[in-house]
Amino acid sequence: MNSTAARTRNVYLIPYMLWIVLFVIAPIVLIVYYSFFDVEGNFTLGNYVKFFTPTYMRMTLSSFWYAFLITAFSLLIAYPTAYLLTKTKHKQLWLLLIILPSWINLLLKAYAFLGIFGTYGFVNSFFELVGIGNKQILFTDFSFVFVSVYIFIPFMILPIFNALEELNPSLVYAARDLGASPWTAFRRVIFPLTLSGVKSGCQAVFIPALSLFMITRLIAGNRVITLGTAIEQHFLVTQDWGMGATIAVFLIIAMAIIMVLTGNRKRGMKREAGH
């Protein structure tokens, strides 16, 4: 019986393994392969040497800095929001309303903000009404971070909400009965026990934020240069696929490291629980 069940399970794994090979492993292999060729199609290691020049190092630091800002602001807004959602009466409905904008095409949302933040948009019209005057909002760091946070925040709220829902409320009641203040109960009980949701949310936001390129074009007006922008430029404009693939290789490595760092402790806790 066990061998039959194992064979059946292996058969069901075939579509999943084919998907992984065709749409995960094969593209990564192709990217690594192209990274060893220059714009003329000659084999070279020069792309990797070029990546460590000051220009690309500044792009790398800029990408990490903006991804950090987007993740930090998303977390600051998402955690209180998710906490309040768990206390509301119709929390599933409110959660659906928060997630709903993520179903809308990213390009449509970016163009919507072009109208909202534009010279004659809603925000500047409001500024004119209250006497502040017309301000340059588009094509600034603020607009880029604001729009990015708006787009990614549902992916931060959902795992935190799930972690808070799974939290045993009797642990919080026990902390309060033992004299802990609301802040102490949050700091010593609620937040540590929902850290897995925070880490999952940070992973879901930081990794895609690290490779943004369309929002940098439309909202930041190329004032924000990231690795995602550089990859797009090399593949679509300069046609230097080798350099674009090299940047993508380092981006994949960075993402893999982030996934490992945000997943180690959770796996460790599971192993401890198993023992």
Side-chain angles (χ1 to χ4, degrees):
M1 290 292 292
N2 289 336
S3 60
T4 303
R7 282 198 299 270
T8 303
R9 187 169 60 249
N10 291 336
V11 169
Y12 288 141
L13 279 174
I14 291 175
Y16 172 76
M17 296 306 297
L18 285 174
W19 177 273
I20 293 296
V21 170
L22 291 175
F23 298 105
V24 178
I25 297 175
I28 292 175
V29 171
L30 282 175
I31 288 172
V32 174
Y33 172 78
Y34 279 117
S35 69
F36 290 106
F37 293 90
D38 61 19
V39 70
E40 296 176 353
N42 301 315
F43 180 85
T44 181
L45 296 176
N47 293 328
Y48 287 89
V49 175
K50 188 178 179 181
F51 181 82
F52 289 98
T53 57
T55 300
Y56 288 100
M57 287 294 98
R58 281 194 297 270
M59 285 184 192
T60 304
L61 290 175
S62 177
S63 297
F64 274 89
W65 171 244
Y66 282 110
F68 169 78
L69 286 179
I70 293 166
T71 305
F73 283 121
S74 296
L75 179 60
L76 287 174
I77 298 169
Y79 202 103
T81 303
Y83 185 79
L84 289 174
L85 278 176
T86 60
K87 305 299 180 183
T88 57
K89 186 176 181 181
H90 304 291
K91 50 190 172 184
Q92 296 298 335
L93 175 61
W94 287 109
L95 184 65
L96 176 63
L97 293 176
I98 290 172
I99 296 173
L100 199 60
S102 65
W103 299 352
I104 301 173
N105 184 271
L106 179 61
L107 188 61
L108 293 178
K109 288 187 282 189
Y111 275 115
F113 275 101
L114 288 176
I116 294 170
F117 286 156
T119 305
Y120 304 104
F122 173 79
V123 175
N124 268 315
S125 297
F126 176 77
F127 285 167
E128 291 282 356
L129 184 65
V130 298
I132 297 176
N134 197 285
K135 299 293 181 182
Q136 177 63 45
I137 305 173
L138 273 180
F139 312 134
T140 61
D141 291 359
F142 165 79
S143 62
F144 171 68
V145 174
F146 183 93
V147 174
S148 300
V149 169
Y150 166 78
I151 288 170
F152 287 123
I153 202 165
F155 304 105
M156 181 71 79
I157 291 175
L158 188 58
I160 294 175
F161 175 83
N162 290 334
L164 287 167
E165 280 287 273
E166 293 173 0
L167 178 66
N168 188 346
S170 62
L171 298 174
V172 182
Y173 299 147
R176 297 300 303 275
D177 288 341
L178 291 172
S181 65
W183 168 245
T184 303
F186 171 77
R187 184 171 55 89
R188 302 293 296 273
V189 178
I190 299 174
F191 187 77
L193 292 177
T194 57
L195 195 57
S196 61
V198 172
K199 291 168 72 174
S200 297
C202 289
Q203 188 181 99
V205 173
F206 190 90
I207 290 176
L210 198 59
S211 56
L212 283 173
F213 71 91
M214 186 172 63
I215 297 176
T216 60
R217 295 287 193 202
L218 295 176
I219 304 298
N222 287 337
R223 287 191 72 258
V224 176
I225 304 298
T226 63
L227 293 178
T229 310
I231 291 172
E232 182 208 23
Q233 188 79 8
H234 282 303
F235 273 99
L236 300 181
V237 180
T238 66
Q239 297 294 306
D240 189 355
W241 288 22
M243 194 62 224
T246 302
I247 300 171
V249 167
F250 283 102
L251 204 54
I252 291 169
I253 293 171
M255 291 176 179
I257 291 172
I258 292 164
M259 291 178 69
V260 170
L261 291 177
T262 54
N264 273 344
R265 188 172 177 182
K266 187 174 180 181
R267 287 194 295 269
M269 290 172 66
K270 287 181 178 178
R271 283 196 295 267
E272 289 173 9
H275 290 305

